[in-house]
Amino acid sequence: MNRREVRVADSFFARLDEQLGNERGADGKPSATDFIVIDLPTVVEQFAVGFDDLAEAIPGVPSLRMFVGTGALVHAYVVQGIQISGDIIELVAIDIEQ
């Protein structure tokens, strides 16, 4: 099994903050930090060990893959990661459905 290093780009964090915010909502909405602590490790693991098996985010562009998952805190999410070198993946975007 080929395990890759996974990094998280500033663009990912910016998008996460736009969708979840810095603090938990009064209605129980999770914060960005909640997602990072609870759900992000699963995402990182998927990209680290299963990058080649993930769907291409853009057909015909194998260096850009996406992972669709369900979270402990959110209904569903899509994360995009790009292979920036042979062993390094950078998570660049996230879209969350609550």
Side-chain angles (χ1 to χ4, degrees), residues 14-95:
R15 184 78 179 120
L16 183 62
D17 286 343
E18 288 172 9
Q19 295 173 80
L20 295 182
N22 293 326
E23 295 185 18
R24 290 184 186 136
D27 60 353
K29 179 180 176 183
S31 69
T33 301
D34 293 332
F35 185 87
I36 290 167
V37 171
I38 295 171
D39 286 326
L40 187 58
T42 299
V43 174
V44 168
E45 187 67 13
Q46 289 296 319
F47 278 91
V49 299
F51 183 80
D52 294 329
D53 297 325
L54 296 176
E56 292 178 357
I58 300 171
V61 182
S63 62
L64 182 62
R65 303 286 176 131
M66 66 180 173
F67 173 65
V68 179
T70 57
L73 301 173
V74 298
H75 179 69
Y77 54 82
V78 178
V79 175
Q80 293 181 3
I82 189 165
Q83 185 174 17
I84 58 175
S85 77
D87 291 333
I88 300 173
I89 307 299
E90 188 165 82
L91 304 181
V92 295
I94 182 170
D95 288 303

